[in-house]
Amino acid sequence: MSDALKKLAGQAALEFVQDGMKLGIGTGSTAEAFIRVLGEKVAEGLQIIGVPTSERTRALCEELNIPLTTLDDTPQLDLTIDGADEIDPSLSLIKGGGGALLREKIVAAASDDMLVIADESKLVNPLGAFPLPIEVNPFGLAATKIMIEGVAEELGLSGPLDLRMVVGDTPFITDGGHYILDASFGRIVDPKTVSVALNGVPGVVEHGLFTGLASRAIITNKDGARIVEAADKT
């Protein structure tokens, strides 16, 4: 996604931001484009308060003087604006390519609504070409991996589970201090069923399937931005 399309998505998302809103503020390059235009509006007098979904997002918001709070102080939000790695017709998502999926899901679930911003290459049917991030506790990693493989087999899913690495033999560590297994399942036809099954695996902290959270998406291409509504937000 080009910088121009990211900025276009961010500008379009601003139309959904109203004075006085409590916002969940997403993570990733497209979300950062939104944060930058949001910062401009805040400098012009827009009154909002935000909950960042990662330390990276927190740092950028602080740099741009965007007022921040926490879910402990502000446990109910009006709207979360965030990107996605994949979006299906019901606006089920795969997220977590940047490793912030746990906080992203907590913030989105604490919001009355979620608005996704992405370019049209992220629209897929079904989900699954992008590896599904699964955040896991470092303790018992091998056992957790075996259990995930067993659950996947029961659901007719197969493919490698790769421990995300930073460099060499150093695992990627999330803001919550966890590891990420990237599951290359290929096709996830029923994301809700997969979501429930993965949530039942001891050692799985969270996963990147977001179902029933987003009701609309701003999709950009070279011709501009359009709104896609969820076919079924359940």
Side-chain angles (χ1 to χ4, degrees), residues 67-143:
L68 297 179
T69 183
T70 67
L71 284 182
D72 289 324
D73 292 332
T74 311
Q76 294 180 306
L77 307 178
D78 299 304
L79 176 67
T80 285
I81 297 176
D82 205 347
D85 298 302
E86 286 189 341
I87 307 169
D88 80 2
S90 68
L91 296 193
S92 291
L93 318 170
I94 285 183
K95 289 178 53 57
L101 60 111
L102 175 59
R103 294 189 185 184
E104 287 173 334
K105 189 174 285 188
I106 293 172
V107 170
S111 303
D112 291 340
D113 203 357
M114 181 182 186
L115 173 66
V116 183
I117 49 178
D119 72 282
E120 64 181 2
S121 71
K122 304 297 177 66
L123 296 175
V124 299
N125 191 16
L127 299 173
F130 189 93
L132 173 64
I134 304 173
E135 188 161 344
V136 297
N137 197 303
F139 177 83
L141 175 63

Side-chain angles (χ1 to χ4, degrees), residues 115-181:
L115 173 66
V116 183
I117 49 178
D119 72 282
E120 64 181 2
S121 71
K122 304 297 177 66
L123 296 175
V124 299
N125 191 16
L127 299 173
F130 189 93
L132 173 64
I134 304 173
E135 188 161 344
V136 297
N137 197 303
F139 177 83
L141 175 63
T144 300
K145 184 176 180 180
I146 290 171
M147 286 186 281
I148 293 172
E149 290 170 340
V151 165
E153 184 177 358
E154 290 176 3
L155 296 174
L157 301 172
S158 63
L161 291 176
D162 296 318
L163 180 62
R164 188 179 298 185
M165 310 300 279
V166 178
V167 61
D169 295 329
T170 304
F172 176 89
I173 305 294
T174 70
D175 284 344
H178 307 123
Y179 292 165
I180 288 182
L181 292 171

Side-chain angles (χ1 to χ4, degrees), residues 1 4-6 8-9 12 118-120 218-227:
M1 188 175 183
L5 288 182
K6 292 173 185 176
L8 177 62
D119 72 282
E120 64 181 2
I218 294 173
I219 303 299
T220 60
N221 61 23
K222 60 182 179 60
D223 298 319
R226 62 188 175 95
I227 304 297

